Amino acid sequence: MKQKKPASTREKPRAAPAQDVAVHRCRFVDWMPSSIECLAFGADCSRLALGRANGDIEIFSLGSSWQRELTIRGAAGMSARSLAWGDGSRLFSAGLDGFVYEWDLAALAPCRTLDVGASGIWAIDVHPGLGLIAAACEDGTVRLIRIGGEADGTNPPELSPGPTLGRHSARALCVSWQAGGPHLASGGADGSILLHHAPSRTTVQSMALPAVPGRGAVVWSVRLLADARSLLSGDSAGRVTVWDAKHGTVLTTFAEHEADVSCVAVDEDEGVCYAGGLDGKMICLQLHGRALGRAERTGGSAGGAGGVALARSKAPSSHWRWLFHSSR
């Protein structure tokens, strides 16, 4: 009779032969894109230019779907604080390096450059009809730059400096041309808003934000409407203010934001206003009591080409009211 072997002496199962095991190693890049400093739509809204803090400029095509068309890499020390489109596909940028650039979008490089000589530029706005750029500068001035174009049918080889308009007591932070007209408005870090008449190089009106107890007020954004009388501003107290620029008086104030209002924009008919703030909130204001104008074809311009004019009332009425519509 066979005796069972103790459990400790039983044969152990043989190990399977070793096999090669493929080891996959995956690393994730902690990518942080440079912050967006400014946006600018083309005149026909078919293109969007985006400027980043590292100086990069990205162009998006806004067809049936948004596509990034091209990227212009920023050079060392180059800044893209503000962007603006001229007539056609002319794109201009400016920054705290004190230079204004016009970009060749085919070569992805500047084709014209001008040192404004004001230490830094906080904002620009282009008036294609006059062939001028208005630049809000670090030294408190608003400087005009000649770019040619529709005004005289020229495309000069270089950007050239123009006249200097009125000065804020602190840096000028924003600027806005009157659509189709000779006036422009600028806002400063001292809480002042100036209305300028470019042909005569004069400051025709000066306004000041209402005082904020315990701190100053900074005007971050202004928008001058086509009548050159209605003006909207956004400031560091979270207010959107509607002004009568002719008399320099406040018409309405909206204090819907809990932080600085960094930008103010209006639609083509100037009947809707959007304001964005550092609190991440966007508000919408609507103008009530006015029939909005429509674009009509005119018989021609001084240069012989057909032009477009907006049919609007000549002056604001006491029945017009900007009212709060929504926020998100």
Side-chain angles (χ1 to χ4, degrees), residues 66-80:
W66 287 38
Q67 302 181 47
R68 186 166 61 183
E69 183 179 338
L70 55 93
T71 300
I72 302 171
R73 296 299 178 188
M78 184 178 292
S79 173

Side-chain angles (χ1 to χ4, degrees), residues 90 92 99-102 110-115 131-133 144-149 152 154-162:
R90 300 180 70 183
F92 300 89
F99 284 82
V100 174
Y101 303 90
E102 182 177 356
C111 57
R112 296 176 180 85
T113 304
L114 177 67
D115 183 358
L132 292 171
I133 291 178
L144 301 183
I145 301 160
R146 299 184 181 93
I147 61 173
D152 50 13
T154 64
N155 193 9
E158 298 294 339
L159 304 177
S160 60

Side-chain angles (χ1 to χ4, degrees), residues 221-302:
S221 182
V222 292
R223 188 64 57 189
L224 181 62
L225 303 191
D227 55 28
R229 182 170 175 178
S230 303
L231 186 147
L232 298 105
S233 68
D235 61 55
S236 58
R239 301 171 298 192
V240 177
T241 305
V242 182
W243 301 82
D244 180 343
K246 181 178 180 180
H247 298 99
T249 56
V250 174
L251 298 179
T252 313
T253 300
F254 300 91
E256 303 293 333
H257 288 273
E258 299 174 0
D260 301 40
V261 176
S262 56
C263 57
V264 175
V266 295
D267 70 338
E268 184 179 5
D269 282 324
E270 299 183 345
V272 179
C273 169
Y274 298 94
L278 298 185
D279 55 357
K281 182 188 294 185
M282 178 181 294
I283 69 169
C284 175
L285 309 175
Q286 284 192 339
L287 182 61
H288 290 259
R290 185 196 73 171
L292 300 181
R294 293 184 178 180
E296 297 179 350
R297 181 66 57 178
T298 62
S301 63

